[in-house]
Amino acid sequence: MFLKKLSLFNYKNISEANYDFDAKINCFVGKNGVGKTNVLDAIYHLAYGKSYFNPLAVQNIKHNEEFFVIDGEFEKAQRNEQIVSSFKKGQKKILKRNGKPYEKFSDHIGFIPLVIISPADNDLIIEGSETRRKFIDSVISQLDATYLQELIQYQKIISQRNALLKYFALNRVFETDTLSIYNEQLNALGQPIFEKRNHFIEEFLPIFKKHHQAITGAAEEVQLVYESHLFEQDTLTLLEQNLTKDRALQYTSMGIHKDDLAFQIDHYPIKKFGSQGQQKSFLIALKLAQFEFVKKQSGEKPILLFDDIFDKLDETRVSKIIEMVNQEEFGQLFISDTHPERTENIVKTTHQTYKIFNL
């Protein structure tokens, strides 16, 4: 997978920009606020159909403008593929491949394998379980279209069941039969989603530990623990046992939509007991493991985006990451940094082709 050209119109703080990429490593350098991260985010946008940092499309339009357009030309399996994402205020977002609009954005997921490593990844540690579920779902969905459709359907039914519980409370009525239909549907979808998540963590964990060891020199023991109600009971039993609670809360309190992934260092939560450096190394190892997992499963080298990581790590960790990047298993890289000289000195050591874009 190789991005050859990128054009931006009215995207975030960028009025218009055009880039040609012919190198393995592409670096965007400049002061804070000039738009380095926005260029990387635009590349992410073409892979996932949304921004990594702000999924609300209207907030990605440049101030005082009415629309944005992101246009990318990729080379995939020796074929040119043009992906265009555009949005105009008051209209639906459009995602096109080679001039043909997607009916469902979900059909595009996985077509451009891509991994981003960013300071915003810290949300995986500090935010609630939904953020970590999204990480699991994002990785699996890139490789399993059926999983993504099951997930979309499950979330749709959860919304319907929650709306029904609110209706019951508001109107002081209760209909067992209608609720049972939703329970049966959630049970049928919940089990395969749970099994695929569990299987993913089992395969992913050794890869993650390997990368963490490479970055830190194996100073600490790290763990990813998948937490789910379904280890105890099937979805149907859980829903029936918690019916009184759900009626009081007016939402569905049990099921795979409450799953979590515990991040641990030396068997303690990294959120409470990990230093900033330890947390950063943990997250980079997590994302590098994502890269390797997707590459292994898809047979393609994902595009890798490094957003502002050199400011957050010591030289030892940076040099270890660069050593890994220098190996042939990595494909095209995009890096943002505030220090042009530092960036060039680092990428020179890789002996790979590189290009510096001063913004």
Side-chain angles (χ1 to χ4, degrees), residues 55-272:
L56 289 173
V58 73
Q59 292 180 10
N60 293 314
I61 300 174
K62 191 174 188 292
H63 292 318
N64 303 317
E65 299 294 346
E66 292 298 309
F67 70 96
F68 74 73
V69 180
I70 311 168
D71 188 338
E73 186 184 316
F74 296 82
E75 186 178 305
K76 179 182 168 88
Q78 298 180 319
R79 282 186 55 183
N80 279 354
E81 301 280 357
Q82 186 190 29
I83 307 296
V84 178
S85 179
S86 61
F87 176 73
K88 188 174 183 179
K89 286 179 183 176
Q91 297 183 14
K92 288 178 74 174
K93 189 194 280 187
I94 297 168
L95 187 66
K96 294 180 182 177
R97 176 184 162 198
N98 299 327
K100 187 180 178 184
Y102 281 97
E103 287 183 23
K104 295 186 295 183
F105 281 20
S106 58
D107 291 342
H108 179 64
I109 301 301
F111 183 71
I112 297 171
L114 179 145
V115 174
I116 185 169
I117 300 177
S118 161
D121 297 337
N122 201 45
D123 286 354
L124 285 164
I125 291 175
I126 63 172
E127 296 292 337
S129 60
E130 184 183 1
T131 311
R132 291 178 289 279
R133 275 196 308 279
K134 280 182 178 175
F135 170 75
I136 298 172
D137 294 337
S138 169
V139 182
I140 302 173
S141 296
Q142 279 196 71
L143 304 158
D144 187 342
T146 305
Y147 177 86
L148 182 55
Q149 294 309 317
E150 287 168 345
L151 198 61
I152 291 167
Q153 190 62 21
Y154 182 93
Q155 288 165 342
K156 186 179 171 185
I157 296 163
I158 281 288
S159 296
Q160 291 170 338
R161 187 179 192 268
N162 290 347
L164 188 65
L165 290 167
K166 284 185 176 67
Y167 173 83
F168 289 161
L170 193 65
N171 295 277
R172 297 184 180 182
V173 295
F174 182 66
E175 299 166 17
T176 312
D177 293 348
T178 317
L179 201 66
S180 296
I181 294 166
Y182 290 136
N183 291 357
E184 293 284 355
Q185 291 175 324
L186 290 172
N187 187 54
L189 289 161
Q191 193 62 33
I193 292 169
F194 163 72
E195 287 170 5
K196 285 177 182 179
R197 283 177 179 172
N198 195 32
H199 180 65
F200 161 69
I201 296 301
E202 286 174 357
E203 286 197 328
F204 187 81
L205 183 58
I207 302 170
F208 164 68
K209 286 187 170 185
K210 179 187 77 175
H211 281 287
H212 189 270
Q213 188 172 6
I215 294 168
T216 64
E220 309 99 3
E221 170 68 24
V222 288
Q223 193 64 259
L224 302 171
V225 181
Y226 178 38
E227 298 174 345
S228 178
H229 299 136
L230 270 71
F231 281 116
E232 307 299 326
Q233 299 277 5
D234 62 82
T235 305
L236 197 58
T237 307
L238 286 167
L239 294 173
E240 288 169 354
Q241 285 180 348
N242 289 274
L243 178 57
T244 305
K245 181 182 174 185
D246 287 359
R247 287 181 68 183
L249 293 169
Q250 298 175 39
Y251 65 81
T252 309
S253 61
M254 305 292 272
I256 56 101
H257 59 290
K258 296 292 182 182
D259 287 357
D260 202 352
L261 187 62
F263 292 173
Q264 296 178 353
I265 184 161
D266 292 331
H267 305 288
Y268 292 98
I270 195 163
K271 180 179 178 178
K272 290 182 181 177

Side-chain angles (χ1 to χ4, degrees), residues 6-20 28 34-35 38-39 42 60-63 65 67-71 357-359:
L6 179 69
S7 297
L8 309 177
F9 297 92
N10 300 334
Y11 188 67
K12 299 193 173 182
N13 72 333
I14 301 166
S15 297
E16 184 175 353
N18 298 285
Y19 301 101
D20 290 305
F28 293 91
V34 297
N38 294 342
V39 178
N60 293 314
I61 300 174
K62 191 174 188 292
H63 292 318
E65 299 294 346
F67 70 96
F68 74 73
V69 180
I70 311 168
D71 188 338
F357 297 88
N358 283 285
L359 270 60

